[in-house]
Amino acid sequence: MEESQPRSLGRRIIRWVAYAILALLLLSVTLSILIQIPYVQNVTITTIGKKMTRDLGTYVGIGHIRLNFFDDILVDNLLILDQSGDTLLYSERAYFDLDEPLTGLLNNRLVMQEIDLRNSKCYLKTDAAGLTNYQFLLDYLKRNTGDAPLPNEDGKDPFRIIFNPARIAVDQIEFNHHNDWSGRYSRLKLDYASAQLEKIKPDDPLHFRDMSLLSPEFELEKFPPVQPKVSDTVILKMQDSTSRKKASQPLSFTIDYFEVSNGKARVINKYRPVRSTLPNVIDFRDASAYNINLEFSSVDWYNAAGFFRIDKLQAQTPEGFAIVDMEAGEVEIDSQQIQLQEMVLQTSNSVLRDHIRFGFDDLEDFKDFTNKIELDIDLNESYVGLRDILYFVNQLNNNQFFLLNGGKQFDLNGRLQGTVNDLRGNQLDLNLADQGFLKGSFDLANVTIRGEERLNLDVTTAEIPITSLRQLIPNFNPPENYDKLGNLQFSGFFDGFF
């Protein structure tokens, strides 16, 4: 009798465990069926929309939702307004792969494992005071992704979105950014893009493991910056400087690997004058490129400056200039320079190796590249095609030497500093095939101003055909029988105009 009691108790335990498992299965099936009922879906839409609207402080609209109890949500016509009531993001269809979505909704959180947006548009704004319409969304994501999110102003727990990490994909999306502060309107269209988002934490840059863009089309239009209104100025003075800085904080991020395939880009000046360059010369007032393919790694971007490595870069311009391939061990970009270390740049006509730095006071200086961009170029085992120079310097397209020898290349080692129009060369070793060679240093001024060209030349040794000198220096017109002398060998100094 005593032995039968433990057996009976064991059977009851097994039976109750089986009942519990069956109940859970029935509950799962029931919930899965219920969630397909329009009324239940409408309640779910309303609940999610209200929670997001409350936490973001702006309207979040959902047209239709399909919730799979086990792993995903499909949303049609997702709409997020900015805090001024204008559209920030619209997506015709948004897919979210979630970890236990229904349980997460009941617990006021969603754990994102994959996000896929299709046929979407995003409208970003920066006003004349430098404040953006999207900072509140970034703050929300950073604030509510940690283990202990901060409560809302009303004391209620926020609706948490957690990246676990998340694979993000967009199919047919367009970003528009109207920036009155800096006088820029930019537009980016993507056929397809994907990224693996690893981390979102307060006060830390976004961290992406990889990012890939397919057939992007980027356009940047410049216009005069808009001056803040008097009311904006007063508001800015009243605001705490720390909160104001946070509200307009530039986006910071790190990317382990970044790739672009078959891209296009164009930079135009809205109030640019009529084109002043020849058709084969790049006009930096309206510059464009296509067939852009690039691979960057170790991207670290913070406060509008950063570092990265170029593993591949290819591009072409309508004028005919082409970058066949480019690599750089480290690239540094900030508000006053672009610097490339351990660089190898190969064009259709040239190969440049070692180090290049472009210095400037403002990006607007690129509109007057020959006079305002400070060059610091250290070259080793390099050669330059004269035709490539003609793509950038309009005036040299009228020089007889360049016209007759445009298809030739010259070997170049040494250091070049200054602007194109005021250029210095030190420890140069220049060899132009059958047109001679030169070793030494030089100082050129007003090289693109016809009739005002000045040259200070310190030649260690040189050998140049008389015919080449006649072509290179417009006012050098010795008698024709001087050509019989062949090559002119010389060393020493030359100062004067040519």
Side-chain angles (χ1 to χ4, degrees), residues 56 58 81-83 88 133-140:
L56 286 174
T58 187
L81 302 185
D82 63 23
Q83 294 181 322
L88 176 60
N133 72 331
Y134 56 85
Q135 187 64 44
F136 79 97
L137 184 59
L138 296 177
D139 291 341
Y140 169 80

Side-chain angles (χ1 to χ4, degrees), residues 98-337:
L98 308 173
D99 182 14
E100 300 180 352
L102 191 55
T103 304
L105 288 174
L106 296 175
N107 289 294
N108 223 28
R109 69 185 183 94
L110 289 177
V111 180
M112 302 285 181
Q113 296 177 320
E114 183 177 349
I115 302 172
D116 189 349
L117 303 179
R118 299 184 182 182
N119 299 325
S120 308
K121 289 192 176 183
C122 184
Y123 300 92
L124 310 177
K125 296 179 183 177
T126 302
D127 65 20
L131 303 179
T132 68
N133 72 331
Y134 56 85
Q135 187 64 44
F136 79 97
L137 184 59
L138 296 177
D139 291 341
Y140 169 80
L141 291 174
K142 289 185 176 183
R143 186 174 64 246
N144 299 321
T145 54
D147 295 330
L150 298 175
N152 292 318
E153 294 180 357
D154 57 10
K156 296 181 179 180
D157 290 335
F159 188 76
R160 298 173 60 195
I161 297 179
I162 301 171
F163 296 88
N164 195 32
R167 165 63 62 179
I168 301 173
V170 292
D171 191 349
Q172 299 296 327
I173 191 170
E174 180 177 325
F175 296 90
N176 295 272
H177 186 191
H178 192 95
N179 191 330
D180 287 336
W181 171 264
S182 60
R184 302 284 190 274
Y185 174 75
S186 54
R187 181 176 62 89
L188 175 63
K189 294 179 64 177
L190 295 169
D191 282 353
Y192 180 80
S194 66
Q196 181 75 18
L197 179 59
E198 293 288 318
K199 181 181 68 174
I200 294 182
K201 289 186 177 180
D203 303 321
D204 283 351
L206 301 176
H207 178 213
F208 295 90
R209 189 172 70 189
D210 59 73
M211 182 178 294
S212 179
L213 311 182
L214 178 62
S215 301
E217 295 183 15
F218 176 75
E219 186 172 298
L220 175 64
E221 185 176 293
K222 302 177 183 179
F223 57 86
V226 178
Q227 296 299 319
K229 298 178 182 178
V230 176
S231 58
D232 293 335
T233 305
V234 173
I235 292 173
L236 285 174
K237 288 181 179 179
M238 293 176 62
Q239 287 179 328
D240 175 74
S241 60
T242 301
S243 62
R244 185 166 70 247
K245 181 179 180 181
K246 182 179 179 181
S248 58
Q249 182 180 3
L251 183 63
S252 300
F253 55 86
T254 60
I255 308 175
D256 294 341
Y257 176 77
F258 177 71
E259 178 185 25
V260 170
S261 300
N262 192 33
K264 296 180 181 179
R266 185 184 183 191
V267 179
I268 60 177
N269 189 331
K270 187 175 181 180
Y271 299 106
R272 67 187 184 277
V274 178
R275 183 183 181 108
S276 58
T277 61
L278 296 171
N280 65 303
V281 179
I282 297 173
D283 183 3
F284 285 96
R285 293 176 175 85
D286 186 357
S288 60
Y290 61 97
N291 287 345
I292 300 173
N293 299 286
L294 59 85
E295 296 176 9
F296 294 170
S297 58
S298 303
V299 180
D300 191 346
W301 190 262
Y302 180 77
N303 197 22
F307 300 85
F308 56 92
R309 174 187 175 91
I310 299 178
D311 299 307
K312 181 176 78 172
L313 191 154
Q314 301 170 333
Q316 293 177 262
T317 73
E319 293 80 10
F321 179 72
I323 298 176
V324 177
D325 195 18
M326 178 178 177
E327 300 176 2
E330 181 179 90
V331 180
E332 179 182 0
I333 298 178
D334 57 41
S335 60
Q336 294 187 316
Q337 70 169 353

Side-chain angles (χ1 to χ4, degrees), residues 13 24 56 70 77 111 153 164 179 207 209 216 280 373 382 389 391 404 417 429 446 457 459 462 474 481-482 484 494:
I13 292 174
L24 288 174
L56 286 174
F70 295 101
N77 300 319
V111 180
E153 294 180 357
N164 195 32
N179 191 330
H207 178 213
R209 189 172 70 189
N280 65 303
I373 301 300
S382 302
I389 297 176
Y391 287 123
L404 294 176
Q417 294 174 290
D429 186 350
N446 302 324
L457 191 60
V459 180
N481 59 352
Y482 273 47
K484 298 179 181 179
F494 172 84

Side-chain angles (χ1 to χ4, degrees), residues 1 19 36 57 66 121 134 158 277 291 295 317 326 351 387 403 418 480 488-489:
M1 188 72 178
Y19 288 158
Q36 307 304 321
R66 277 172 281 181
K121 289 192 176 183
Y134 56 85
T277 61
N291 287 345
E295 296 176 9
T317 73
M326 178 178 177
V351 171
R387 182 171 286 120
L403 291 175
E480 291 185 4
L488 178 64
Q489 298 178 352

Side-chain angles (χ1 to χ4, degrees), residues 348-418:
S348 300
N349 307 294
S350 309
V351 171
L352 302 179
R353 291 185 176 89
D354 212 344
H355 166 265
I356 291 182
R357 179 183 180 274
F358 301 93
F360 45 85
D361 294 325
D362 188 272
L363 289 175
E364 292 292 312
D365 291 346
F366 277 91
K367 293 191 298 186
D368 190 6
F369 186 90
T370 58
N371 293 298
K372 292 187 177 181
I373 301 300
E374 290 283 340
L375 306 176
D376 188 348
I377 305 174
D378 198 356
L379 300 175
N380 288 297
E381 299 180 357
S382 302
Y383 62 86
V384 177
L386 296 181
R387 182 171 286 120
D388 280 347
I389 297 176
L390 297 180
Y391 287 123
F392 295 92
V393 186
N394 191 60
Q395 292 84 344
L396 292 181
N397 281 265
N398 296 320
N399 182 280
Q400 187 180 14
F401 177 81
F402 279 84
L403 291 175
L404 294 176
N405 296 280
K408 296 182 179 179
Q409 301 166 338
F410 61 88
D411 299 327
L412 178 61
N413 294 279
R415 188 172 186 181
L416 302 174
Q417 294 174 290

